[in-house]
Amino acid sequence: MADKLGSLKPQKKIELYSGNYFAACTLGGIIACGPTHTMVTPLDLVKCRRQVDSKLYKSNAQAWKLIYAKEGLRGVFTGWAPTFVGYSLQGAGKYGFYEVFKYLYGEKLAPGAPKTVVFLAASASAEFLADIALCPLEAIKVRMQTTNPPFARNLREGWSKVVAQEGIGGLYKGLYPLWARQIPYTMVKFATFEATVSQIYSFLGKPKESYSGLQQTGVSFLGGYIAGVGCAVVSHPADVMVSKLNSDRKAGEGAGQAISRIYGNIGFRGLWNGLPTRIFMIGTLTAFQWLIYDSFKVSLGLPTTGGH
C-alpha cells in the first residue's frame, strides 16, 4: 500500500464538510495543540515569570538552571497539566469550529465574500468559543507559573484553591484579556497561514494537488512558522496583561481597574517584556501545530488546509 503521506491524491474516506469531517478536524486540533503546548511548558514558564518580573532572570538558560537546581525537573515543567488539558480543549474548539464557521460563512451565508474576510470571521468566531473552555485552565496555569513557590502542586489542587478562595468566577476573571489576546492571535494565525500557503504554491508555480501529501505538509510547516511570528507580535501585550492579571489582581478589583493599575505600573514598554522568547516559542509552536494537524488530515485521506 502506498504511503499515504507520499501519495499524490489521498483517497477520501471522509466526505468533506460532513459531521465526520468536522469531528476529524476537532480531533486533529486536540492532537495538534495539547501535546505541542505541553512540550514548550519550560519556555512558557520562564516567559510568564519574566513578564511579571523582568529582573527575575538574566536569561532563559539561567532561569532553567536556577529552577532545576531548586525544584528539579518537575519544577521546570510547572503548569504542564493545566496546559495539556486547557490547550487540548482550546485546540478542539479552535480547529473544529474554524472548519465549521469557514464552511458556514464561506459556502452558506456569504459565498461571494472575499476569502480573507471569511478566514478572519471564522477564526474569530472559533476562538471566542474555544477560549471559554481554555480560560479556567489558563488561570490555574498562570498562577502556578508566576508564583514562587508555585500556587499549587497540580491541576486538581489549583482548581480547588481558586474555587475555595474566589468561587467559580475566579476561574474566569481573565476571560476578557484572554479574548483580547487569543482572538487577534487566532485571526492572524489562520488568515496569515491561508494567505501564506497560497503564496507559496503560487511561487512554486504548480497547483497544490500536484504535490505529494508529504510535500504539502512541508508547506504547512513553513506557512505555520511565518504565521506564528505574526501571531506572537500581535497578541503579546495582551499576553503580558493576562499574566499580570492572574498574578497581581487584588480582591474585589474590577477588570478595568486592574488593567489600569497594572498598566500604570509597567507602562507601554512593560507590555513587551519577554517578546523575543515568545516569538521563538509561538513561531515554533504554530509551525508544528499546522504540521501535525495537516499530517493528521492527510492520514485520514483529507486535503491539507489552505491553497485551494
Side-chain angles (χ1 to χ4, degrees), residues 131-259:
D131 286 346
I132 295 173
L134 170 64
C135 190
L137 286 308
E138 179 76 355
I140 295 167
K141 176 193 81 75
V142 171
R143 291 182 195 209
M144 290 176 67
Q145 292 181 333
T146 56
T147 53
N148 197 11
F151 172 77
R153 291 169 296 176
N154 53 53
L155 171 57
R156 183 171 60 181
E157 181 185 348
W159 188 287
S160 298
K161 287 182 72 172
V162 173
V163 173
Q165 294 172 10
E166 305 174 46
I168 293 295
L171 296 169
Y172 281 94
K173 72 179 186 180
L175 182 58
Y176 293 152
L178 187 63
W179 274 332
R181 181 189 81 184
Q182 289 297 136
I183 291 177
Y185 169 97
T186 300
M187 292 171 74
V188 172
K189 175 177 180 174
F190 282 84
T192 304
F193 174 80
E194 297 260 14
T196 301
V197 166
S198 293
Q199 288 297 315
I200 292 173
Y201 284 119
S202 177
F203 174 79
L204 293 174
K206 292 193 294 184
K208 170 183 173 178
E209 292 73 19
S210 65
Y211 295 95
S212 69
L214 183 60
Q215 290 170 326
Q216 289 181 31
T217 55
V219 171
S220 295
F221 181 84
L222 177 58
Y225 206 101
I226 294 170
V229 173
C231 292
V233 175
V234 166
S235 62
H236 192 73
D239 184 61
V240 172
M241 192 57 70
V242 168
S243 296
K244 296 289 285 185
L245 277 172
N246 278 293
S247 65
D248 185 29
R249 186 167 172 183
K250 302 183 184 303
E253 189 176 40
Q257 291 177 305
I259 291 171

Side-chain angles (χ1 to χ4, degrees), residues 61-72:
Q62 184 206 40
W64 291 319
K65 183 178 179 179
L66 292 174
I67 295 169
Y68 182 78
K70 185 178 181 181
E71 305 171 53

